[in-house]
Amino acid sequence: GSYDFGFVCLKGTKRGTEFPCPAGTYNNRTGLERKEDCVPCITGHYCPQGTTNPIECPRGTFNDELSAKVQNTTPTHLVNKK
């Protein structure tokens, strides 16, 4: 079958959009067979479920977590003051 980017093709998959990569990961290739094959999201970005490529945090914000699932709205000037 045809499988979409951002998804994995687990055994028994009937549709290419049936099993998205988990939030905090992404997949910009086709034919992955395990959720573990999805790539952890990189810092400075976030990856909701089914992400094809990491989404850059908006200007003036930064996400310093690896595998971030949601957009962090921490202003850049506060990131290093934790």
Side-chain angles (χ1 to χ4, degrees):
S2 175
Y3 299 100
D4 291 353
F5 298 112
F7 294 81
V8 292
C9 313
L10 303 177
K11 187 175 182 177
T13 299
K14 292 179 178 31
R15 294 182 330 275
T17 57
E18 193 169 350
F19 298 106
C21 281
T25 66
Y26 72 98
N27 168 23
N28 57 10
R29 298 177 297 153
T30 59
L32 299 186
E33 297 179 351
R34 305 174 315 141
K35 288 193 177 194
E36 293 79 19
D37 293 334
C38 297
V39 181
C41 201
I42 57 177
T43 57
H45 297 73
Y46 64 102
C47 298
Q49 178 177 294
T51 298
T52 302
N53 288 299
I55 302 165
E56 190 172 2
C57 293
R59 178 180 233 168
T61 67
F62 185 78
N63 199 335
D64 58 353
E65 288 182 39
L66 187 61
S67 299
K69 298 175 179 140
V70 294
Q71 177 180 327
N72 183 345
T73 56
T74 305
T76 342
H77 67 281
L78 297 178
V79 170
N80 295 324
K81 297 183 181 183
K82 288 183 182 179

